[in-house]
């Protein structure tokens, strides 16, 4: 409208795009040295289709992690899901990298046959993290369980696995020494 009272009308188009729905499921915790992948499809499953994702270390979305598909540090990260129209949503995602438990091994004292060695003794794993569950194996891969770890009668290297409540574990060797009995030969003196 002008000061003289003349007026004209023209249309204007307003487009309000729908904000995308960003659904986040944090990845499962992992144990060192494994890494977490926040770019996995499972992390954003259920979100609006066709979003482009970017990943950040801060809520202000100014810093991007170098490798969002291989994070090795626990913490809160942020995912931004954007549509082609430029609308977006930002949500946090939690990454948990659990440390490996500390397992300390003290080799048990040597025994003489036919005595046996007990590697389940608390003295063998004294100094390990508290609350660990120990299991005993004959191989370093911890796949062959020892039948009688509390009564070993053969010298050798065995393996103790210390597992935390978070499912992380460390396997350490323990040396068992069973010394052979000495051979005593008796020669009777001649009878006079």
């Amino acid at each position: 409208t002008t000061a003289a009272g003349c007026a004209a009308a023209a249309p204007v188009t307003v487009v309000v795009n729908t904000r995308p729905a960003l659904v986040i499921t944090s990845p499962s915790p992992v144990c060192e040295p494994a890494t977490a992948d926040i770019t996995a499809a499972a992390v954003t499953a259920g979100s609006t289709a066709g979003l482009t994702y970017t990943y950040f270390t801060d809520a202000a979305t100014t810093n991007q992690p170098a490798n969002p598909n291989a994070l090795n540090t626990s913490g809160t990260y942020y995912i931004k899901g954007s549509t082609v129209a430029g609308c977006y949503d930002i949500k946090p995602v939690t990454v948990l990298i659990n440390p490996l438990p500390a397992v300390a091994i003290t080799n048990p004292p040597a025994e003489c046959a036919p005595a046996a060695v007990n590697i389940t003794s608390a003295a063998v794993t004294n100094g390990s993290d508290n609350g660990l569950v120990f299991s005993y194996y004959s191989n370093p891969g911890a796949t062959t369980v020892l039948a009688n770890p509390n009564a070993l009668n053969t010298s050798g290297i065995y393996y103790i696995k210390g597992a935390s409540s978070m499912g992380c574990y460390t396997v350490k060797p323990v040396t068992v020494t069973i010394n052979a009995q000495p051979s005593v030969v008796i020669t009777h003196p001649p009878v006079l």
Side-chain angles (χ1 to χ4, degrees):
T1 303
T2 67
C6 299
V12 60
T13 302
V14 174
V15 177
V16 179
N17 291 307
T18 304
R19 184 176 181 177
L22 182 58
V23 178
I24 299 296
T25 302
S26 293
S28 299
V30 297
C31 301
E32 292 177 335
T35 58
D37 180 6
I38 60 172
T39 70
V43 173
T44 52
S47 298
T48 300
L51 295 181
T52 299
Y53 298 105
T54 46
Y55 308 90
F56 301 90
T57 59
D58 60 322
T61 64
T62 56
N63 297 309
Q64 292 186 296
N67 297 302
N69 61 338
L71 297 171
N72 59 9
T73 304
S74 294
T76 301
Y77 296 84
Y78 297 86
I79 299 177
K80 179 179 180 180
S82 304
T83 67
V84 292
C87 298
Y88 63 87
D89 193 10
I90 300 168
K91 291 279 178 69
V93 57
T94 302
V95 169
L96 185 57
I97 312 289
N98 292 313
L100 295 180
V103 175
I105 299 294
T106 301
N107 292 326
E111 295 286 349
C112 294
V117 171
N118 178 11
I119 63 171
T120 69
S121 166
V124 173
T125 52
N126 187 36
S128 299
D129 285 347
N130 290 327
L132 298 182
V133 175
F134 295 103
S135 48
Y136 308 89
Y137 302 87
S138 61
N139 66 317
T143 56
T144 306
V145 178
L146 286 173
N148 297 304
N150 60 341
L152 296 172
N153 55 17
T154 304
S155 293
I157 298 176
Y158 298 91
Y159 298 87
I160 299 177
K161 177 180 176 180
S164 70
S165 59
M166 295 171 284
C168 301
Y169 63 86
T170 299
V171 178
K172 289 284 184 75
V174 57
T175 301
V176 169
T177 303
I178 308 288
N179 293 314
Q181 282 187 329
S183 177
V184 178
V185 178
I186 303 294
T187 301
H188 295 283
V191 178
L192 297 177

